[in-house]
C-alpha cells in the first residue's frame, strides 16, 4: 500500500473520531433536568458536601465511597419524611460521625440532595444502549 493511501486512511479515521467525539459529548447535555432545583442554597450545599468530605463514604451517580448509602435518590426514598435526612445530618449514626453542622449547612445539603435526586437515577436497574454508543437509563 502506498504511503499516500495510508495517510488518507489515517486522516479519514482521525477526522471521523473527532466528529464522533464531539457528537457524543454534546448530544443530550443541553438540558439540565433539575435546573429549577439548583438554587444558590443548593450550590452552598454542594460546597458543604465537599467541605465535610461526604464523598469518602457516600456515592452520588455511582461515584464515591462504599461505607454509606448512595445518596443519588435518597430524597425519593424518604419523600414522605424529609426531616429524616436533616435529623441524620444533625445527629449522625453509628457509622456516620456527627459533624456538628448548623441549621444553614443542613438545609443547604438537603437542597443539594434534592437537586441530585432530580438529575440522576441510581442504582441503574435498566438501561438502553443507543445507536451512537450512549446509554439512556431508567429505573422501571
Amino acid at each position: 500500500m502506498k504511503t499516500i493511501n495510508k495517510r488518507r486512511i489515517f486522516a479519514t479515521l482521525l477526522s471521523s473520531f473527532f466528529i464522533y467525539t464531539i457528537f457524543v459529548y454534546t448530544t443530550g447535555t443541553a438540558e439540565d433536568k433539575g435546573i429549577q432545583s439548583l438554587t444558590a442554597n443548593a450550590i452552598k450545599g454542594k460546597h458543604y458536601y465537599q467541605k465535610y468530605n461526604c464523598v469518602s463514604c457516600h456515592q452520588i451517580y455511582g461515584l464515591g465511597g462504599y461505607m454509606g448509602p448512595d445518596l443519588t435518590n435518597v430524597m425519593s426514598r424518604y419523600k414522605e419524611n424529609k426531616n429524616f435526612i436533616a435529623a441524620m445530618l444533625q445527629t449522625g449514626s453509628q457509622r456516620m460521625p456527627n459533624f456538628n453542622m448548623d441549621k444553614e449547612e443542613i438545609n443547604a445539603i438537603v437542597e443539594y440532595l434534592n437537586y441530585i435526586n432530580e438529575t440522576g437515577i441510581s442504582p441503574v436497574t435498566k438501561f438502553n444502549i443507543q445507536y451512537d454508543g450512549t446509554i439512556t437509563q431508567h429505573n422501571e
Side-chain angles (χ1 to χ4, degrees):
M1 186 179 265
K2 293 183 179 182
T3 305
I4 191 76
N5 289 338
K6 289 179 184 179
R7 288 183 182 165
R8 284 184 185 151
I9 291 171
F10 178 75
T12 302
L13 290 174
L14 188 64
S15 61
S16 297
F17 169 76
F18 283 118
I19 291 169
Y20 180 73
T21 301
I22 290 168
F23 175 73
V24 167
Y25 284 102
T26 57
T27 302
T29 59
E31 180 184 343
D32 185 353
K33 296 176 188 173
I35 195 69
Q36 67 275 6
S37 299
L38 187 60
T39 62
N41 204 28
I43 293 171
K44 283 183 187 178
K46 179 180 179 181
H47 294 297
Y48 291 134
Y49 185 87
Q50 293 169 341
K51 173 184 173 185
Y52 290 109
N53 198 20
C54 301
V55 73
S56 65
C57 296
H58 297 281
Q59 294 182 19
I60 290 182
Y61 306 127
L63 302 172
Y66 291 97
M67 183 171 280
D70 187 325
L71 299 179
T72 306
N73 297 116
V74 72
M75 297 308 286
S76 291
R77 281 182 270 165
Y78 297 104
K79 62 184 162 193
E80 53 279 336
N81 188 5
K82 292 188 178 190
N83 294 329
F84 176 79
I85 304 297
M88 194 65 136
L89 290 169
Q90 187 174 17
T91 61
S93 68
Q94 289 179 342
R95 297 180 96 185
M96 184 174 134
N98 182 355
F99 290 105
N100 298 314
M101 296 180 196
D102 60 25
K103 292 282 184 190
E104 175 192 345
E105 293 173 327
I106 291 171
N107 290 336
I109 290 175
V110 168
E111 277 197 48
Y112 175 60
L113 291 175
N114 272 324
Y115 169 72
I116 296 297
N117 186 61
E118 293 181 20
T119 60
I121 298 171
S122 184
V124 177
T125 55
K126 294 183 180 179
F127 59 91
N128 298 321
I129 299 175
Q130 304 299 315
Y131 70 93
D132 58 357
T134 58
I135 296 174
T136 57
Q137 56 188 10
H138 48 88
N139 209 18
E140 296 176 17

PDB file of all heavy atoms in Angstrom, residues 2 18 41 49 71 73 80 89 104 108 112:
ATOM      1  N   LYS A   2       0.534   2.202  -0.802  1.00  0.00           N
ATOM      2  CA  LYS A   2       1.337   3.407  -0.924  1.00  0.00           C
ATOM      3  C   LYS A   2       1.175   4.282   0.319  1.00  0.00           C
ATOM      4  O   LYS A   2       0.136   4.258   0.996  1.00  0.00           O
ATOM      5  CB  LYS A   2       0.940   4.194  -2.165  1.00  0.00           C
ATOM      6  CG  LYS A   2       1.260   3.489  -3.454  1.00  0.00           C
ATOM      7  CD  LYS A   2       0.898   4.352  -4.624  1.00  0.00           C
ATOM      8  CE  LYS A   2       1.239   3.647  -5.916  1.00  0.00           C
ATOM      9  NZ  LYS A   2       0.949   4.480  -7.084  1.00  0.00           N
ATOM     10  N   PHE A  18     -12.866  12.482  15.724  1.00  0.00           N
ATOM     11  CA  PHE A  18     -13.154  13.778  16.321  1.00  0.00           C
ATOM     12  C   PHE A  18     -14.624  14.182  16.125  1.00  0.00           C
ATOM     13  O   PHE A  18     -15.253  14.706  17.045  1.00  0.00           O
ATOM     14  CB  PHE A  18     -12.220  14.861  15.774  1.00  0.00           C
ATOM     15  CG  PHE A  18     -10.857  14.797  16.376  1.00  0.00           C
ATOM     16  CD1 PHE A  18      -9.754  14.560  15.585  1.00  0.00           C
ATOM     17  CD2 PHE A  18     -10.666  14.965  17.745  1.00  0.00           C
ATOM     18  CE1 PHE A  18      -8.485  14.498  16.138  1.00  0.00           C
ATOM     19  CE2 PHE A  18      -9.411  14.902  18.313  1.00  0.00           C
ATOM     20  CZ  PHE A  18      -8.314  14.665  17.503  1.00  0.00           C
ATOM     21  N   ASN A  41     -28.758  28.177  47.463  1.00  0.00           N
ATOM     22  CA  ASN A  41     -28.578  27.363  48.667  1.00  0.00           C
ATOM     23  C   ASN A  41     -28.131  25.947  48.316  1.00  0.00           C
ATOM     24  O   ASN A  41     -27.349  25.336  49.046  1.00  0.00           O
ATOM     25  CB  ASN A  41     -29.876  27.340  49.481  1.00  0.00           C
ATOM     26  CG  ASN A  41     -29.619  27.047  50.938  1.00  0.00           C
ATOM     27  OD1 ASN A  41     -28.558  27.337  51.472  1.00  0.00           O
ATOM     28  ND2 ASN A  41     -30.614  26.474  51.586  1.00  0.00           N
ATOM     29  N   TYR A  49     -21.047  19.685  51.194  1.00  0.00           N
ATOM     30  CA  TYR A  49     -20.846  18.262  50.902  1.00  0.00           C
ATOM     31  C   TYR A  49     -19.364  17.987  50.666  1.00  0.00           C
ATOM     32  O   TYR A  49     -18.818  16.990  51.134  1.00  0.00           O
ATOM     33  CB  TYR A  49     -21.685  17.868  49.681  1.00  0.00           C
ATOM     34  CG  TYR A  49     -21.671  16.400  49.345  1.00  0.00           C
ATOM     35  CD1 TYR A  49     -22.565  15.527  49.941  1.00  0.00           C
ATOM     36  CD2 TYR A  49     -20.770  15.886  48.417  1.00  0.00           C
ATOM     37  CE1 TYR A  49     -22.572  14.180  49.640  1.00  0.00           C
ATOM     38  CE2 TYR A  49     -20.769  14.546  48.102  1.00  0.00           C
ATOM     39  CZ  TYR A  49     -21.664  13.691  48.711  1.00  0.00           C
ATOM     40  OH  TYR A  49     -21.645  12.359  48.401  1.00  0.00           O
ATOM     41  N   LEU A  71     -26.405   8.339  47.736  1.00  0.00           N
ATOM     42  CA  LEU A  71     -27.290   9.466  48.026  1.00  0.00           C
ATOM     43  C   LEU A  71     -27.969  10.050  46.792  1.00  0.00           C
ATOM     44  O   LEU A  71     -28.660  11.058  46.905  1.00  0.00           O
ATOM     45  CB  LEU A  71     -26.507  10.570  48.751  1.00  0.00           C
ATOM     46  CG  LEU A  71     -25.906  10.184  50.094  1.00  0.00           C
ATOM     47  CD1 LEU A  71     -25.136  11.358  50.677  1.00  0.00           C
ATOM     48  CD2 LEU A  71     -26.968   9.699  51.055  1.00  0.00           C
ATOM     49  N   ASN A  73     -30.575   9.183  44.990  1.00  0.00           N
ATOM     50  CA  ASN A  73     -32.028   9.272  45.082  1.00  0.00           C
ATOM     51  C   ASN A  73     -32.526   9.095  46.519  1.00  0.00           C
ATOM     52  O   ASN A  73     -33.628   8.612  46.748  1.00  0.00           O
ATOM     53  CB  ASN A  73     -32.685   8.236  44.169  1.00  0.00           C
ATOM     54  CG  ASN A  73     -32.371   8.478  42.727  1.00  0.00           C
ATOM     55  OD1 ASN A  73     -31.736   7.659  42.084  1.00  0.00           O
ATOM     56  ND2 ASN A  73     -32.778   9.626  42.209  1.00  0.00           N
ATOM     57  N   GLU A  80     -41.749  10.968  52.041  1.00  0.00           N
ATOM     58  CA  GLU A  80     -42.812  11.253  52.988  1.00  0.00           C
ATOM     59  C   GLU A  80     -42.277  11.816  54.302  1.00  0.00           C
ATOM     60  O   GLU A  80     -43.009  12.422  55.066  1.00  0.00           O
ATOM     61  CB  GLU A  80     -43.695  10.019  53.244  1.00  0.00           C
ATOM     62  CG  GLU A  80     -42.985   8.751  53.656  1.00  0.00           C
ATOM     63  CD  GLU A  80     -42.372   7.964  52.496  1.00  0.00           C
ATOM     64  OE1 GLU A  80     -42.808   8.079  51.352  1.00  0.00           O
ATOM     65  OE2 GLU A  80     -41.424   7.234  52.781  1.00  0.00           O
ATOM     66  N   LEU A  89     -28.269  14.158  59.366  1.00  0.00           N
ATOM     67  CA  LEU A  89     -27.138  15.079  59.251  1.00  0.00           C
ATOM     68  C   LEU A  89     -26.839  15.762  60.580  1.00  0.00           C
ATOM     69  O   LEU A  89     -25.687  16.073  60.887  1.00  0.00           O
ATOM     70  CB  LEU A  89     -27.427  16.132  58.180  1.00  0.00           C
ATOM     71  CG  LEU A  89     -27.435  15.641  56.745  1.00  0.00           C
ATOM     72  CD1 LEU A  89     -27.997  16.710  55.820  1.00  0.00           C
ATOM     73  CD2 LEU A  89     -26.049  15.239  56.312  1.00  0.00           C
ATOM     74  N   GLU A 104     -28.134  26.036  58.853  1.00  0.00           N
ATOM     75  CA  GLU A 104     -27.908  26.534  57.494  1.00  0.00           C
ATOM     76  C   GLU A 104     -27.199  25.479  56.642  1.00  0.00           C
ATOM     77  O   GLU A 104     -27.591  25.230  55.496  1.00  0.00           O
ATOM     78  CB  GLU A 104     -27.059  27.805  57.532  1.00  0.00           C
ATOM     79  CG  GLU A 104     -26.692  28.316  56.153  1.00  0.00           C
ATOM     80  CD  GLU A 104     -25.613  29.393  56.182  1.00  0.00           C
ATOM     81  OE1 GLU A 104     -25.342  29.950  57.245  1.00  0.00           O
ATOM     82  OE2 GLU A 104     -25.045  29.643  55.102  1.00  0.00           O
ATOM     83  N   ALA A 108     -28.869  23.474  53.456  1.00  0.00           N
ATOM     84  CA  ALA A 108     -28.198  23.581  52.158  1.00  0.00           C
ATOM     85  C   ALA A 108     -27.883  22.198  51.592  1.00  0.00           C
ATOM     86  O   ALA A 108     -28.090  21.952  50.395  1.00  0.00           O
ATOM     87  CB  ALA A 108     -26.922  24.406  52.297  1.00  0.00           C
ATOM     88  N   TYR A 112     -29.261  20.476  48.169  1.00  0.00           N
ATOM     89  CA  TYR A 112     -28.353  19.882  47.187  1.00  0.00           C
ATOM     90  C   TYR A 112     -28.787  18.449  46.866  1.00  0.00           C
ATOM     91  O   TYR A 112     -28.792  18.045  45.703  1.00  0.00           O
ATOM     92  CB  TYR A 112     -26.921  19.917  47.713  1.00  0.00           C
ATOM     93  CG  TYR A 112     -25.912  19.228  46.835  1.00  0.00           C
ATOM     94  CD1 TYR A 112     -25.697  19.645  45.528  1.00  0.00           C
ATOM     95  CD2 TYR A 112     -25.172  18.153  47.307  1.00  0.00           C
ATOM     96  CE1 TYR A 112     -24.772  19.020  44.713  1.00  0.00           C
ATOM     97  CE2 TYR A 112     -24.240  17.526  46.501  1.00  0.00           C
ATOM     98  CZ  TYR A 112     -24.046  17.954  45.207  1.00  0.00           C
ATOM     99  OH  TYR A 112     -23.121  17.321  44.411  1.00  0.00           O
TER     100      TYR A 112
END
